[in-house]
Each structure stands twice: as structure tokens, then as C-alpha cells.
Amino acid sequence: MPAGLNRALLTLAGAVVAIVLAIAVCSVAIVAAGGDPLHALTAFFDFGASERAQSNSVATLFNRAVPLFIAGLAVAIGFRMNLFNIGVEGQYRIAAICAAYVGSTFVAPAPIQIAVIIVVAMVVGGLYALIPAIMKVTRGVNEVIATIMLNYIAINISAYLVRGPFAGARAEGELTVSTPPLPDSGMFPDLNFVFGWFGMLAPTREGGLWGFLVVAIVLGVVLWVVLERTRFGFDVKASGLNQSAALAAGVNPKRMVIAAMVLSGAIAGLIGLPEVLGSTGSFGTTFTSGLGFLGIAVALLGRNKPAGIAVAALLFAFLDRAQGPLQFANIPPSVIEIIQGVIVLLVVVANEVTNRFALRLEERRAARQLKVTA
């Protein structure tokens, strides 16, 4: 069996074993919480009693997966170069509020309006990620510490802006605050027509199936090409593996640190746009948080590969969607977070075990070949 196929099968087997073990561990947690594991398993696959409810559940699953997928891509770029961009959380929040506000200040044809919003989000996210990159290459500041601190700064700046300079009009007695609403030309067209292809009713919850799904797919393909089929992707990987060797080969590691962090931040800036352009039309105090931190887990589970990240994002979205059915089954929704954490932990351990096992098999194969040639 070819070495590449052998390693791929070992990786797949390790992931399956890790997920099975995670289910077993979480079954114990469900029993400890006074629930029934079989009822929990049934709740995970409960998409609703009516056709409309099922369509809404499917749309919710994909709508949740899209920002998680983008977050995983943003984190994975840094991981490819042994950079831990923990600041994705702050980068996407500051980018989302700036993009939402800028998009509300003018009206243009839909392609121009949406393009400007996307560009603003990417520029703001990239510039915010540039700060820890410059600190690292000029002063040697650890990017983990720098990005964690910048997260708090970005979160509080966003909270100030949405209640201050960027605040929109608020009705009397309304508790939530948000930026001014985007014009109709700033809202991304939905993909509800896709449900008709499968004989399903169009979803009606949260704006239906968000059209930003198409952008996420294109982004994943483009990023795969850039990282796997271009000189830039090779330089990123080489700089992450061995900066001294990369420098000897003519690659500037400091420049690659800046490029990787800025690209990671630019992609992070897109995380909040599916919600802004597909549902809310603004950035408010109820804006979804925590996606940046979940992106770390998604990237680890997907092994920093766009295809793997897509599968991990769908898995996390599938688990998140089950919170409602779990509550109806009298099972604490916190079980979902336990499952997600255990899966990531066990998959990381399984990856390390399978990598070592595959390496040992390759060494034995090489030793046998040497004996044959001798």
C-alpha cells in the first residue's frame, strides 16, 4: 500500500476512534446529569416534526457552519507557520462593526455595496492582525500574549463604538443597540431556492439559507490553491518548519510572519459578515461572539486543511443545532460543549498517535528495502 494512502487511512481511523470514544465519554456525562444517552442521540437527529421545521433546521446547520469554517481557515493559516493567532476573536468583531457601519453610510448597486463591505472587513481584520505581527518581528513579542491582549481591546472598542459613534437610532424602550441598518442593496441574496431542488420547503428562520455560503466555498478553494499549489504556500510552510533553513533558501521569515498574520486577519474579518449580510443587517449588542475561539478547535479538528476544516465546521454546527432538541429531552445543552471539547482533545491525541505509528511503518518499510537492495 502506498505510504500516502496508508497515512490517510490511519488518520481517518484515528478520527473515527476518537469520535466514538468522545461519544462514550459524553454518555457517562449525560447519565451523571440524569439524562438518557439514547434520548440524547435521538435529539441530535431531531430536525423537527413539520417540513418547514426541517428546512429551518437544515438552514440553521449550514448558517452556523459557514462562520465556523471561515474562522477555522483564519486560524489554520497561522498554524501552517507555527503562529498561534489567538486574536481571531477580536479581529472579526472589530472588522464586523466597521464593515457594518461603513455599509450603512451609503447606497450603491448591490454588487458594489456588498463588495465594499467585504473589502472593509478584510482590510480592518488584516490591519488589526498586523499589530501583533510587527510586535513579533521587531521586538520578539510572543504572538499568543499579544493577540490575547488585543482581543480584549477589540471587544471593548466594539462595545464602545456600537453604543457611541456607530450607534443607530433606537426605539423608545428598546434594550438592544446596533449600528444603522444596511440598505437592501447591502444584504446578500439567500440560497432558499436550493431547497426546492430537493423537494423541501424554503426556510423562513433567520433569513433562510445565507448566500455567504458561496463565498465561503470559493474562499476555501482559493486558500487551498494558495497554500498547496503556490510558492507563497511553500514559503509559509518552510518558514514554519525551520526559519533558518528557509532563510538559507532565500525566504525572508520575518516577511512571511507579517504576510501570514495579515492574511489570517483578513480572512478573520469575514467571519461576522454571514450574519450581518444574511440576517441582522447590522452589528448589535446581540452579535454572535466566541466564533474566533471555536475556530481554533475547528482548525485543530480539520488538521489545518480546508476540506478537513469544512467537515469539522459541519460537525460543530450539527452539535450546536441540537441545543433546542436536547432541552426538550431534559438534557443539559452544556453536554454539547463537553462533546466538542472531548472530540478535539481525543482527535489531537489520535493524530499524534497515528503520525508516530505511520512514521514507524515507513521506517520499517525503508529498512526492508535496504535489506533487499543489499
mmCIF file of all heavy atoms in Angstrom, residues 233-262:
data_model
loop_
_atom_site.group_PDB
_atom_site.id
_atom_site.type_symbol
_atom_site.label_atom_id
_atom_site.label_comp_id
_atom_site.label_asym_id
_atom_site.label_seq_id
_atom_site.Cartn_x
_atom_site.Cartn_y
_atom_site.Cartn_z
ATOM 1 N N GLY A 233 2.563 29.512 -0.555
ATOM 2 C CA GLY A 233 2.213 28.443 0.378
ATOM 3 C C GLY A 233 3.418 27.638 0.806
ATOM 4 O O GLY A 233 3.552 27.267 1.979
ATOM 5 N N PHE A 234 4.332 27.383 -0.137
ATOM 6 C CA PHE A 234 5.563 26.669 0.212
ATOM 7 C C PHE A 234 6.416 27.488 1.172
ATOM 8 O O PHE A 234 6.966 26.943 2.142
ATOM 9 C CB PHE A 234 6.356 26.358 -1.065
ATOM 10 C CG PHE A 234 7.715 25.780 -0.794
ATOM 11 C CD1 PHE A 234 7.868 24.440 -0.480
ATOM 12 C CD2 PHE A 234 8.846 26.590 -0.840
ATOM 13 C CE1 PHE A 234 9.119 23.905 -0.220
ATOM 14 C CE2 PHE A 234 10.106 26.060 -0.581
ATOM 15 C CZ PHE A 234 10.243 24.712 -0.272
ATOM 16 N N ASP A 235 6.525 28.792 0.915
ATOM 17 C CA ASP A 235 7.321 29.649 1.796
ATOM 18 C C ASP A 235 6.744 29.700 3.205
ATOM 19 O O ASP A 235 7.489 29.720 4.192
ATOM 20 C CB ASP A 235 7.396 31.067 1.209
ATOM 21 C CG ASP A 235 8.239 31.133 -0.051
ATOM 22 O OD1 ASP A 235 8.946 30.143 -0.343
ATOM 23 O OD2 ASP A 235 8.193 32.163 -0.755
ATOM 24 N N VAL A 236 5.411 29.733 3.300
ATOM 25 C CA VAL A 236 4.761 29.741 4.614
ATOM 26 C C VAL A 236 5.093 28.471 5.379
ATOM 27 O O VAL A 236 5.486 28.509 6.558
ATOM 28 C CB VAL A 236 3.230 29.899 4.464
ATOM 29 C CG1 VAL A 236 2.523 29.587 5.772
ATOM 30 C CG2 VAL A 236 2.885 31.307 4.017
ATOM 31 N N LYS A 237 4.954 27.324 4.704
ATOM 32 C CA LYS A 237 5.221 26.046 5.369
ATOM 33 C C LYS A 237 6.697 25.911 5.721
ATOM 34 O O LYS A 237 7.049 25.448 6.818
ATOM 35 C CB LYS A 237 4.782 24.904 4.461
ATOM 36 C CG LYS A 237 4.828 23.543 5.136
ATOM 37 C CD LYS A 237 4.223 22.470 4.245
ATOM 38 C CE LYS A 237 4.211 21.128 4.963
ATOM 39 N NZ LYS A 237 3.611 20.064 4.101
ATOM 40 N N ALA A 238 7.574 26.310 4.800
ATOM 41 C CA ALA A 238 9.012 26.202 5.051
ATOM 42 C C ALA A 238 9.435 27.084 6.220
ATOM 43 O O ALA A 238 10.225 26.667 7.079
ATOM 44 C CB ALA A 238 9.790 26.586 3.798
ATOM 45 N N SER A 239 8.900 28.291 6.279
ATOM 46 C CA SER A 239 9.246 29.207 7.371
ATOM 47 C C SER A 239 8.750 28.672 8.703
ATOM 48 O O SER A 239 9.392 28.870 9.742
ATOM 49 C CB SER A 239 8.655 30.597 7.105
ATOM 50 O OG SER A 239 9.163 31.140 5.899
ATOM 51 N N GLY A 240 7.602 27.990 8.689
ATOM 52 C CA GLY A 240 7.079 27.431 9.923
ATOM 53 C C GLY A 240 7.863 26.232 10.404
ATOM 54 O O GLY A 240 8.034 26.039 11.605
ATOM 55 N N LEU A 241 8.361 25.412 9.467
ATOM 56 C CA LEU A 241 9.107 24.218 9.846
ATOM 57 C C LEU A 241 10.501 24.557 10.349
ATOM 58 O O LEU A 241 10.969 24.001 11.344
ATOM 59 C CB LEU A 241 9.192 23.253 8.651
ATOM 60 C CG LEU A 241 7.878 22.590 8.223
ATOM 61 C CD1 LEU A 241 8.091 21.787 6.954
ATOM 62 C CD2 LEU A 241 7.350 21.693 9.338
ATOM 63 N N ASN A 242 11.194 25.449 9.637
ATOM 64 C CA ASN A 242 12.565 25.780 10.012
ATOM 65 C C ASN A 242 12.931 27.135 9.427
ATOM 66 O O ASN A 242 13.217 27.245 8.235
ATOM 67 C CB ASN A 242 13.528 24.698 9.507
ATOM 68 C CG ASN A 242 14.914 24.830 10.102
ATOM 69 O OD1 ASN A 242 15.441 25.928 10.249
ATOM 70 N ND2 ASN A 242 15.522 23.693 10.433
ATOM 71 N N GLN A 243 12.922 28.162 10.267
ATOM 72 C CA GLN A 243 13.189 29.504 9.779
ATOM 73 C C GLN A 243 14.623 29.652 9.268
ATOM 74 O O GLN A 243 14.862 30.362 8.285
ATOM 75 C CB GLN A 243 12.916 30.539 10.874
ATOM 76 C CG GLN A 243 11.447 30.717 11.197
ATOM 77 C CD GLN A 243 11.176 31.957 12.014
ATOM 78 O OE1 GLN A 243 12.086 32.730 12.298
ATOM 79 N NE2 GLN A 243 9.920 32.157 12.395
ATOM 80 N N SER A 244 15.559 28.986 9.910
ATOM 81 C CA SER A 244 16.962 29.089 9.473
ATOM 82 C C SER A 244 17.144 28.490 8.089
ATOM 83 O O SER A 244 17.809 29.079 7.219
ATOM 84 C CB SER A 244 17.874 28.379 10.484
ATOM 85 O OG SER A 244 17.772 28.973 11.761
ATOM 86 N N ALA A 245 16.547 27.312 7.869
ATOM 87 C CA ALA A 245 16.641 26.684 6.549
ATOM 88 C C ALA A 245 15.916 27.511 5.499
ATOM 89 O O ALA A 245 16.385 27.632 4.355
ATOM 90 C CB ALA A 245 16.054 25.272 6.612
ATOM 91 N N ALA A 246 14.780 28.089 5.867
ATOM 92 C CA ALA A 246 14.041 28.924 4.927
ATOM 93 C C ALA A 246 14.854 30.155 4.539
ATOM 94 O O ALA A 246 14.888 30.554 3.366
ATOM 95 C CB ALA A 246 12.707 29.346 5.538
ATOM 96 N N LEU A 247 15.520 30.737 5.528
ATOM 97 C CA LEU A 247 16.354 31.907 5.255
ATOM 98 C C LEU A 247 17.510 31.552 4.327
ATOM 99 O O LEU A 247 17.847 32.301 3.416
ATOM 100 C CB LEU A 247 16.877 32.489 6.565
ATOM 101 C CG LEU A 247 17.688 33.786 6.474
ATOM 102 C CD1 LEU A 247 16.839 34.899 5.885
ATOM 103 C CD2 LEU A 247 18.212 34.181 7.846
ATOM 104 N N ALA A 248 18.093 30.381 4.539
ATOM 105 C CA ALA A 248 19.187 29.933 3.670
ATOM 106 C C ALA A 248 18.706 29.683 2.252
ATOM 107 O O ALA A 248 19.489 29.810 1.291
ATOM 108 C CB ALA A 248 19.809 28.669 4.247
ATOM 109 N N ALA A 249 17.411 29.331 2.100
ATOM 110 C CA ALA A 249 16.846 29.081 0.775
ATOM 111 C C ALA A 249 16.332 30.357 0.114
ATOM 112 O O ALA A 249 15.738 30.297 -0.969
ATOM 113 C CB ALA A 249 15.709 28.070 0.882
ATOM 114 N N GLY A 250 16.544 31.498 0.755
ATOM 115 C CA GLY A 250 16.147 32.771 0.161
ATOM 116 C C GLY A 250 14.788 33.277 0.588
ATOM 117 O O GLY A 250 14.272 34.234 0.007
ATOM 118 N N VAL A 251 14.188 32.645 1.607
ATOM 119 C CA VAL A 251 12.883 33.083 2.115
ATOM 120 C C VAL A 251 13.112 33.979 3.328
ATOM 121 O O VAL A 251 13.883 33.633 4.224
ATOM 122 C CB VAL A 251 12.009 31.878 2.506
ATOM 123 C CG1 VAL A 251 10.665 32.349 3.049
ATOM 124 C CG2 VAL A 251 11.799 30.962 1.313
ATOM 125 N N ASN A 252 12.438 35.113 3.355
ATOM 126 C CA ASN A 252 12.549 36.040 4.489
ATOM 127 C C ASN A 252 11.510 35.663 5.538
ATOM 128 O O ASN A 252 10.319 35.941 5.369
ATOM 129 C CB ASN A 252 12.326 37.473 4.015
ATOM 130 C CG ASN A 252 12.615 38.489 5.103
ATOM 131 O OD1 ASN A 252 12.521 38.201 6.292
ATOM 132 N ND2 ASN A 252 12.969 39.698 4.720
ATOM 133 N N PRO A 253 11.914 35.016 6.637
ATOM 134 C CA PRO A 253 10.928 34.556 7.638
ATOM 135 C C PRO A 253 10.129 35.696 8.252
ATOM 136 O O PRO A 253 8.932 35.539 8.521
ATOM 137 C CB PRO A 253 11.791 33.853 8.693
ATOM 138 C CG PRO A 253 13.063 33.502 7.994
ATOM 139 C CD PRO A 253 13.284 34.598 6.992
ATOM 140 N N LYS A 254 10.749 36.835 8.489
ATOM 141 C CA LYS A 254 10.025 37.954 9.089
ATOM 142 C C LYS A 254 8.928 38.456 8.157
ATOM 143 O O LYS A 254 7.817 38.762 8.594
ATOM 144 C CB LYS A 254 10.998 39.080 9.429
ATOM 145 C CG LYS A 254 11.942 38.751 10.575
ATOM 146 C CD LYS A 254 12.792 39.952 10.960
ATOM 147 C CE LYS A 254 13.673 39.628 12.156
ATOM 148 N NZ LYS A 254 14.501 40.791 12.571
ATOM 149 N N ARG A 255 9.257 38.532 6.881
ATOM 150 C CA ARG A 255 8.238 38.966 5.924
ATOM 151 C C ARG A 255 7.098 37.953 5.854
ATOM 152 O O ARG A 255 5.923 38.327 5.718
ATOM 153 C CB ARG A 255 8.871 39.136 4.546
ATOM 154 C CG ARG A 255 7.919 39.723 3.497
ATOM 155 C CD ARG A 255 8.623 39.910 2.173
ATOM 156 N NE ARG A 255 9.030 38.626 1.607
ATOM 157 C CZ ARG A 255 9.746 38.496 0.496
ATOM 158 N NH1 ARG A 255 10.167 39.578 -0.143
ATOM 159 N NH2 ARG A 255 10.065 37.302 0.036
ATOM 160 N N MET A 256 7.425 36.662 5.971
ATOM 161 C CA MET A 256 6.389 35.638 5.922
ATOM 162 C C MET A 256 5.519 35.677 7.172
ATOM 163 O O MET A 256 4.325 35.386 7.107
ATOM 164 C CB MET A 256 7.017 34.254 5.759
ATOM 165 C CG MET A 256 7.760 34.064 4.452
ATOM 166 S SD MET A 256 6.809 34.589 2.999
ATOM 167 C CE MET A 256 5.373 33.534 3.129
ATOM 168 N N VAL A 257 6.099 36.016 8.330
ATOM 169 C CA VAL A 257 5.302 36.169 9.547
ATOM 170 C C VAL A 257 4.257 37.260 9.353
ATOM 171 O O VAL A 257 3.065 37.084 9.668
ATOM 172 C CB VAL A 257 6.207 36.493 10.757
ATOM 173 C CG1 VAL A 257 5.365 36.969 11.946
ATOM 174 C CG2 VAL A 257 7.027 35.280 11.148
ATOM 175 N N ILE A 258 4.692 38.399 8.815
ATOM 176 C CA ILE A 258 3.767 39.511 8.592
ATOM 177 C C ILE A 258 2.705 39.120 7.571
ATOM 178 O O ILE A 258 1.505 39.365 7.763
ATOM 179 C CB ILE A 258 4.539 40.760 8.130
ATOM 180 C CG1 ILE A 258 5.427 41.278 9.269
ATOM 181 C CG2 ILE A 258 3.576 41.854 7.670
ATOM 182 C CD1 ILE A 258 6.292 42.457 8.890
ATOM 183 N N ALA A 259 3.129 38.487 6.461
ATOM 184 C CA ALA A 259 2.183 38.112 5.412
ATOM 185 C C ALA A 259 1.154 37.112 5.927
ATOM 186 O O ALA A 259 -0.053 37.238 5.657
ATOM 187 C CB ALA A 259 2.940 37.530 4.215
ATOM 188 N N ALA A 260 1.615 36.096 6.686
ATOM 189 C CA ALA A 260 0.698 35.076 7.195
ATOM 190 C C ALA A 260 -0.289 35.664 8.202
ATOM 191 O O ALA A 260 -1.489 35.354 8.171
ATOM 192 C CB ALA A 260 1.483 33.929 7.827
ATOM 193 N N MET A 261 0.188 36.521 9.093
ATOM 194 C CA MET A 261 -0.697 37.112 10.095
ATOM 195 C C MET A 261 -1.713 38.045 9.453
ATOM 196 O O MET A 261 -2.902 38.048 9.820
ATOM 197 C CB MET A 261 0.126 37.870 11.138
ATOM 198 C CG MET A 261 0.825 36.975 12.144
ATOM 199 S SD MET A 261 -0.313 36.077 13.229
ATOM 200 C CE MET A 261 -0.895 37.413 14.269
ATOM 201 N N VAL A 262 -1.275 38.848 8.482
ATOM 202 C CA VAL A 262 -2.206 39.767 7.819
ATOM 203 C C VAL A 262 -3.257 38.987 7.035
ATOM 204 O O VAL A 262 -4.447 39.327 7.061
ATOM 205 C CB VAL A 262 -1.432 40.741 6.908
ATOM 206 C CG1 VAL A 262 -2.405 41.532 6.025
ATOM 207 C CG2 VAL A 262 -0.590 41.700 7.733
#
